Amino acid sequence: MAKYGELRKAVDTVTAVDAHAHNLVAIDSDFPFLHCFSEAQDEALTFVPHTLSFKRNVRDIAKLYNCEASFDAVDRHRKSTGIISVASRCFDAANISTIFIDDGIKFDKMHDLEWHRRFGPVVGRILRIEHLAETILNDERYHESNWTLELFSQIFMGQMTSVVDKIVAMKSIAAYRSGLKIDTNVSKILAEEGLLRDLHDRKPVRIKSKGFIDYIFTLSLEVAQSFNLPMQIHTGFGDKDLDLRQCNPLHLRTVLEEKRFSRSRIVLLHAAYPYSREASYLASVYPQVYLDFGLAVPMLSVPGMISSVSELLHLAPIKKVMYSSDGFAFPEIYYLGSKRSREVLFHVLSNACEDGDLTIDEALEAVEDIFRQNALRLYNLSAIVGSTDYKSYSIQKSTLKIDTLLEDIMFVRIIWADSSGQQRCRVIPVKRFYEVVANTGVGLTFASMGMTSFADGPADGTNLTGTGEIRLMPDCSTKHRIPWSKKEEMVLADMQIKPGEAWEYCPRSALRRLAKILNDEFNLVMNAGFENEFYLLKNIMREGNEHFVPFDLTSYCSTSGFDAVSPILQEVNAALQVLDITVEQIHAEAGKGQFEIALGHSCCTSAADNLIYTRETIKSIARKHGLLATFVPKYFLDDIGSGSHVHLSLWKNGRNVFMGSEESKTPYGMSEIGEKFMAGVFYHLPSILAFTAPLPNSYDRIQPNTWSGAYQCWGKENREAPLRTACPPGISQEVVSNFEIKSFDGCANPHLGLASIIAAGIDGLKRNLSLPKPIEVNPSSHDSVLKSLPKGLHESIQALAEDNVLKDLLGQKLITAVIGVRKAEIDYYGKNKEAYKQLIHKY
């Protein structure tokens, strides 16, 4: 309608205040991206792709990303691009100046409030009152037997009032717990009974007793009113935890009629759908009631969104209706909420003009009010944000960001690990990186995944040549400033045949694909934690020749050995902390000049990424101090070798399900699922070694009586077995929490190594495999009956060549390339017996 062109422009260009949203999560969060499109859970989530809103929203996101209009293509694009790049694009397209975040809902790998400030000039916090209460009750400083309602009230009020100057609103999800029939005069006896019932019902405490929730609500509303803070209330639809019948805002009449709350300001969230008319009525007759239509837009169908927003305006004053996205976890929801709200509001307001309800000038004022001014007034932010020109701000922010980076950062290293396990990088000047390469990547020859440890050219038999090029795409969710080189950043990269489409040879994509199969088919996540063994060597000149010798000659866990290298290890530890990599232990190892750094466990994709950064950190900081750090498996043939032992566990819904429990426990202390998975790894171990022990030198390390696992066996706390089940402190001796693979070394590509392990575990789960009996003594005492693991790389690649399971799951092309590289390694080092000594400069 041409006559509404001015209205169309106003709707499209108004800078919005997003008055209700939640934290974003990292790209590799376990929280499924499918939740971007629905509140459904569990099996119901599988039907989401068949909804109208899903099909529409996928097309909208694909158009924004300029990729194929499919869920998988969108998912690939966001993973390859990284959360910073994806979020920047979504927020810029959404044209949001202000975000209010309820951080009381917890997701896996959730970013904190401060992290979000890069996307808007104003980020405000919403305090979820039930989450505050549960945080207090789960605080180990307070013993549950000491709890009384009076003690809780003192702590609750104290913590609430301590943050009132740091929040923009409070929020209640009483609708999810006991419903909206709030008793504003609930007795303290009923409240305390509810408190004690919730305390003893489950751990961690989740409050759900109506008397206690009503008490918390009224207490909080009194505080909110006294400090002039709005109270947001969940109304209407949500996930299946709520009883929709109890979420009708008409149930709040007791609260609204209570005289002591007459000066409160209450915001009914989510358009109260399907009770939008009821919400509109309440806003029309109660001065303290305001409305917010986030979640209804964009989760409903187009007619549903139009109907819901239109029904809010049937009775409610325009000055009381507000926009929000209810964005959570994924920046795409922020974008979709903004995009669809603008389209829906244009439709509703232009029709109101056609019907004679509004003039065009009144409709223009409504646009500014609903998207911006109503929220600024209600949340007392007019003075802060009212004059902000967000488009000007965005331009300034973008310019300032590049200018600041040009001042502070000179280069960005794009890092990848190849088939031989070498870590390589392309270095991009920072301006070029942020203006071009962050979104388009850089070209890389096909030959890059066919290179060996001794030559920078493709090995025969890999089917990879110098003809053809891929895109090395930075995953900006992994980008960090380099702690030891302050003028640089580093970022890990994916290999893509074209933007959004993974190359079959990409190690990071292979691991993600296998992890997705494990999650999709078995609802499992594999966590991994690596132990990094390495030698510190010093360079001496002897008779005019260069020699590398151990940094010291001390023994296992030597205090003096650690003392000598402590300044270096302190710097390594500090750098890893900056990179958000958890260090659990550091000690001197048994080799002369050998040390170990054990990392905390995380989901396998993060663990592999972290291992690459850890190796970079150790080698770089050692070099800074005039030493050479090497992860070569057996540099000194007459001393202990270095491994990269990995501890593995299986997780479901945040719980370790590898560990035995009352519901599922085997005689070996693990769960039935855990045994099947580990049995798959056990039976495929010879093939796995082609990935985890990738060099001929690797097999100089895997020898009997060296704690490296030379026989195909397993045992509980048996450090001579290649597979060891472990029982850390605090775990009952009757169960085990994880299993360790000792036949994994520092020359292995961690993504390919973990991918092969998952593939083997999936086979164990599918075929219901069982473990043989554990070996409880040194396996070498049973060498006549135990099968040896491959004694050389040639045996492991032979096993891999015959392993159809790994070929099917990892892909024939990738397997062919790996075998081609390994055969070249065998040939070269077989002919050049001393050449392994040069590996210290590569690993």
Side-chain angles (χ1 to χ4, degrees), residues 326-577:
D326 196 30
F328 62 92
F330 315 106
E332 291 85 354
I333 303 178
Y334 285 82
Y335 164 68
L336 293 170
S338 173
K339 173 181 169 59
R340 285 298 168 180
S341 291
R342 295 171 194 275
E343 294 172 358
V344 166
L345 203 63
F346 173 75
H347 181 98
V348 171
L349 294 179
S350 60
N351 279 350
C353 291
E354 285 290 303
D355 294 338
D357 283 335
L358 294 175
T359 66
I360 290 180
D361 286 343
E362 288 169 337
L364 292 171
E365 182 181 356
V367 170
E368 185 69 19
D369 283 340
I370 291 172
F371 276 108
R372 185 175 182 77
Q373 294 301 331
N374 293 345
L376 295 180
R377 287 188 289 265
L378 179 66
Y379 296 100
N380 302 312
L381 289 176
S382 295
I384 302 174
V385 187
S387 62
T388 301
D389 181 340
Y390 185 63
K391 285 204 174 291
S392 171
Y393 166 81
S394 296
I395 295 168
Q396 292 170 7
K397 181 180 74 168
S398 177
T399 304
L400 178 64
K401 180 179 179 182
I402 295 298
D403 288 346
T404 302
L405 285 169
L406 287 173
E407 291 177 8
D408 295 344
I409 303 294
M410 185 172 293
F411 296 131
V412 181
R413 302 182 192 179
I414 305 176
I415 297 173
W416 75 97
D418 64 17
S419 298
S420 71
Q422 291 181 82
Q423 295 178 191
R424 303 174 185 264
C425 74
R426 286 280 185 87
V427 182
I428 311 297
V430 66
K431 192 172 189 296
R432 171 75 177 174
F433 179 85
Y434 280 98
E435 291 181 350
V436 179
V437 175
N439 293 316
T440 63
V442 293
L444 190 69
T445 174
F446 278 8
S448 61
M449 281 298 285
M451 295 178 181
T452 65
S453 66
F454 60 87
D456 289 335
D460 293 339
T462 59
N463 292 336
L464 295 168
T465 69
T467 301
E469 185 172 88
I470 59 166
R471 302 305 294 175
L472 200 61
M473 293 296 299
D475 177 356
C476 289
S477 68
T478 68
K479 184 168 63 62
H480 295 279
R481 179 172 287 202
I482 299 179
W484 58 89
S485 183
K486 301 294 187 182
K487 301 284 285 185
E488 296 183 63
E489 292 179 327
M490 59 183 176
V491 63
L492 298 179
D494 290 318
M495 297 173 172
Q496 299 184 352
I497 198 68
K498 62 183 180 180
E501 183 180 331
W503 192 37
E504 303 101 313
Y505 300 88
C506 176
R508 294 184 83 233
S509 296
L511 178 56
R512 278 199 300 267
R513 182 169 52 80
L514 268 296
K516 186 176 187 300
I517 294 172
L518 182 66
N519 188 256
D520 289 348
E521 296 190 13
F522 303 98
N523 193 24
L524 294 173
V525 173
M526 186 181 81
N527 275 17
F530 285 94
E531 300 174 7
N532 296 271
E533 294 176 340
F534 57 94
Y535 276 87
L536 288 177
L537 307 177
K538 56 187 178 182
N539 185 359
I540 64 171
M541 298 301 293
R542 187 182 297 154
E543 298 177 353
N545 296 317
E546 185 180 57
H547 294 272
F548 285 90
V549 299
F551 173 76
D552 73 355
L553 302 177
T554 56
S555 55
Y556 173 71
C557 283
S558 165
T559 55
S560 60
F562 182 84
D563 191 56
V565 78
S566 180
I568 298 173
L569 295 179
Q570 287 180 34
E571 190 171 339
V572 168
N573 183 61
L576 293 176
Q577 284 184 332

Side-chain angles (χ1 to χ4, degrees), residues 59-69 73-74 77 89 499-500:
R59 288 195 297 271
D60 285 346
I61 298 171
K63 186 175 181 181
L64 177 69
Y65 292 161
N66 194 28
C67 67
E68 177 191 334
V74 167
H77 176 88
R89 181 173 293 189

